[in-house]
Amino acid sequence: MTTAAADPAPAAPANGWCALSVLHGRIEGHVERALQAGHGLSVREFSLLEILSRQHDGEGGHLQMKRLAEAIVLSDSATTRLVTRLEDRALLTRYLCSTDRRGIYTNVSEAGLRLLAGARPTHDAALREVLAEAAKNPLLAPLVRTVRSLDAPA
């Protein structure tokens, strides 16, 4: 009976995934602390407001709840809880679609837009800081270059 020797080194895709996971964790943790300290926002709350601010139908922006869940990569129930927290803080509103009563939309309020505008510089500075630190790590540097290249003008 022969046994295959265990491969002690993870496969290349696993290495890449591990590095991506590490970079994501560092970014999320650093940006979270900065947003919480400066604006009382979590990364998810900031992301939700940011995504909604880019959807325009008059003032603020709106997006159907199902699409919002997809955009912020949360389950429908987690998105509902997040939206409820922000709605309780008067940072957004929910309303029924006028043509389809089953459709629920979420709209950024003026207060939400003001908070987002104030939080953006904090978010961006924290992101630049954590990427600069991560770029010093040879395993993360290629990912940092890729992230930075996505911001380059087309």
Side-chain angles (χ1 to χ4, degrees), residues 96-107:
L96 291 175
C97 175
S98 60
T99 59
D100 180 0
R101 302 302 268 171
R102 296 170 295 169
I104 299 174
Y105 285 91
T106 308
N107 194 26

Side-chain angles (χ1 to χ4, degrees), residues 11 46 48 59 79 93:
F46 177 88
L48 188 143
E59 293 299 314
T79 301
T93 58

Side-chain angles (χ1 to χ4, degrees), residues 12-105:
N15 288 338
W17 174 245
C18 183
L20 181 59
S21 181
V22 167
L23 181 60
H24 178 268
R26 287 183 184 184
I27 290 170
E28 191 167 55
H30 188 76
V31 173
E32 176 89 22
R33 287 185 295 277
L35 287 172
Q36 282 288 351
H39 308 279
L41 280 174
S42 71
V43 169
R44 294 284 188 189
E45 291 167 338
F46 177 88
S47 296
L48 188 143
L49 292 173
E50 180 68 29
I51 288 165
L52 284 175
S53 75
R54 295 177 186 185
Q55 309 300 316
H56 292 284
D57 181 51
E59 293 299 314
H62 80 263
L63 201 59
Q64 192 172 28
M65 288 287 287
K66 183 87 171 152
R67 294 203 187 268
L68 185 57
E70 292 168 1
I72 59 173
V73 193
L74 286 176
S75 68
D76 291 349
S77 61
T79 301
T80 298
R81 288 189 300 273
L82 181 59
V83 165
T84 298
R85 283 196 312 269
L86 292 174
E87 189 176 38
D88 289 348
R89 293 171 58 189
L91 299 176
L92 52 80
T93 58
R94 281 184 275 196
Y95 60 94
L96 291 175
C97 175
S98 60
T99 59
D100 180 0
R101 302 302 268 171
R102 296 170 295 169
I104 299 174
Y105 285 91

